[in-house]
Amino acid sequence: MKPLHLVPDDVNVPFLKFRKIFYIVSLAMVLVSVGLFLTKGLNFGIDFRGGILVEIKTDGPADIGALRDNLGSLGLGDVSIQEFGEPDDVLIQLQRQDGDEQAQMAALATVTKALGDDVTIRRSELVGPKVGDELKEAGVYSVAISLLLIMIYIWFRFEWQFAVASVVALLHDVLITIGFFVITGVQFDLATLAAVLTVAGYSINDTVVVFDRIREYLRKFRKMDIPDLLDLSINSTLSRTTMTSFTTLLALIALFVFGGEAIRGFTMALIFGIVIGTYSSICVASPLLMVLRLRRKIPEGEETQEAGA
């Protein structure tokens, strides 16, 4: 039985020939994402906006769908319901209500009454807007620090051109993924933020595979032109890159379809992010080495070849 190949081993796509088109497409997507983020903004979840948190224990496995319909009809805004460890342990989150603390307590009382006597309330908390602001700040710091550490790692492992190209590609992925959430209006919470960071890690893994092949070929094909060498490197890893993304997407699509509402935002971020991350690894990160004037290190006395944009 022959192994499955989404891309033939002898594929020869001239990616560098179309690099200016890739630059324009990527720049347009980033600008649209940033513009929408600044004007429309994200649909932040309770984690970031503040709200009401209630943990309950049901008599037997919880009917999440019935609970969602019941609490969703109360007119209290966004309601997030998910299993919390055991099948009979449920975490309910409601958006912060307009008004002061008394308004929050009134909403909590409404929820308690709607749940009835068939459940046991284990805990209830009010998440203030200050906590949400702190989580937003922590989220921005986590993304910024992760990008910085990745750049330092790539710089030490390769050269500065590789480090800059990888971080630009990662920033490209993060911004476009955030733009996707602005356009769709899907709730953005801590789980979604974790998915965005996961996308960054997945994308850099694909990018490092291509960069490793570029470094290998820089030493092996010392007379080959840099654009041809970059094309050869991308094509030689294309089968691996597409197969990895394809198999990962199969699992994520299954989670999206059967995983329920609680992880839908998380899986949506991963599905979209992996598609964009695969695109950036192939069409953004490596072509950027041309813009950054990647040089081949050769012994003294020989002419140094430099990539041109």
Side-chain angles (χ1 to χ4, degrees):
M1 182 177 178
K2 293 183 178 180
L4 175 65
H5 290 282
L6 295 178
V7 177
D9 292 332
D10 58 349
V11 66
N12 185 24
V13 180
F15 289 103
L16 271 292
K17 179 180 178 181
F18 304 107
R19 64 184 183 276
K20 292 183 180 179
I21 297 176
F22 297 145
Y23 296 158
I24 293 171
V25 171
S26 294
L27 183 61
M29 289 193 292
V30 169
L31 290 177
V32 169
S33 297
V34 172
L36 288 173
F37 174 75
L38 294 176
T39 55
K40 184 180 178 182
L42 288 165
N43 177 23
F44 286 112
I46 296 168
D47 298 328
F48 296 115
R49 288 183 301 176
I52 301 169
L53 183 70
V54 181
E55 183 184 351
I56 64 172
K57 183 176 179 63
T58 60
D59 185 14
D63 188 341
I64 301 296
L67 283 171
R68 184 172 288 113
D69 292 340
N70 182 19
L71 298 181
S73 64
L74 298 177
L76 297 176
D78 292 336
V79 179
S80 172
I81 303 175
Q82 62 189 62
E83 288 184 4
F84 191 62
E86 300 298 328
D88 59 350
D89 198 0
V90 178
L91 191 65
I92 302 170
Q93 300 179 77
L94 290 87
Q95 73 175 56
R96 182 173 177 81
Q97 306 299 303
D98 295 332
D100 55 12
E101 187 173 344
Q102 290 184 350
Q104 315 310 314
M105 296 302 296
L108 179 58
T110 301
V111 171
T112 304
K113 183 179 179 181
L115 291 172
D117 299 327
D118 296 333
V119 303
T120 302
I121 297 180
R122 288 186 162 183
R123 65 185 172 109
S124 58
E125 300 175 5
L126 300 179
V127 181
K130 182 178 179 181
V131 175
D133 291 339
E134 290 174 352
L135 287 174
K136 287 180 187 177
E137 185 177 345
V140 172
Y141 283 148
S142 64
V143 173
I145 291 172
S146 64
L147 292 177
L148 177 61
L149 292 177
I150 287 171
M151 185 175 73
I152 293 173
Y153 165 73
I154 299 294
W155 197 322
F156 275 98
R157 180 168 177 178
F158 298 94
E159 296 178 32
W160 71 265
Q161 291 98 333
F162 292 92
V164 173
S166 64
V167 169
V168 170
L170 284 180
L171 196 58
H172 162 279
D173 299 342
V174 170
L175 291 175
I176 294 176
T177 302
I178 289 175
F180 167 77
F181 277 88
V182 175
I183 293 172
T184 58
V186 175
Q187 191 174 95
F188 192 89
D189 52 22
L190 285 177
T192 311
L193 176 61
V196 171
L197 291 174
T198 303
V199 166
Y202 186 94
S203 178
I204 194 61
N205 179 66
D206 272 352
T207 302
V208 166
V209 169
V210 180
F211 282 0
D212 260 329
R213 190 59 55 88
I214 292 172
R215 182 173 60 176
E216 175 189 345
Y217 285 173
L218 283 171
R219 296 168 180 169
K220 185 176 181 181
F221 303 109
R222 293 172 57 187
K223 300 297 184 181
M224 184 179 292
D225 291 337
I226 294 295
D228 295 335
L229 187 142
L230 295 178
D231 270 337
L232 179 62
S233 301
I234 297 171
N235 281 289
S236 65
T237 57
L238 193 59
S239 177
R240 179 264 177 205
T241 300
T242 53
M243 181 60 75
T244 303
S245 299
F246 175 71
T247 53
T248 305
L249 285 173
L250 288 179
L252 289 174
I253 291 171
L255 282 175
F256 178 79
V257 174
F258 303 109
E261 190 67 29
I263 61 170
R264 186 141 296 163
F266 178 80
T267 51
M268 282 183 68
L270 287 177
I271 290 171
F272 182 81
I274 284 176
V275 172
I276 288 296
T278 303
Y279 161 78
S280 70
S281 297
I282 296 170
C283 304
V284 177
S286 297
L288 275 176
L289 296 174
M290 295 284 292
V291 178
L292 298 170
R293 305 287 183 179
L294 175 66
R295 290 188 177 189
R296 176 188 280 111
K297 290 185 176 180
I298 58 178
E300 294 184 4
E302 297 185 28
E303 185 180 353
T304 300
Q305 186 182 17
E306 184 181 87

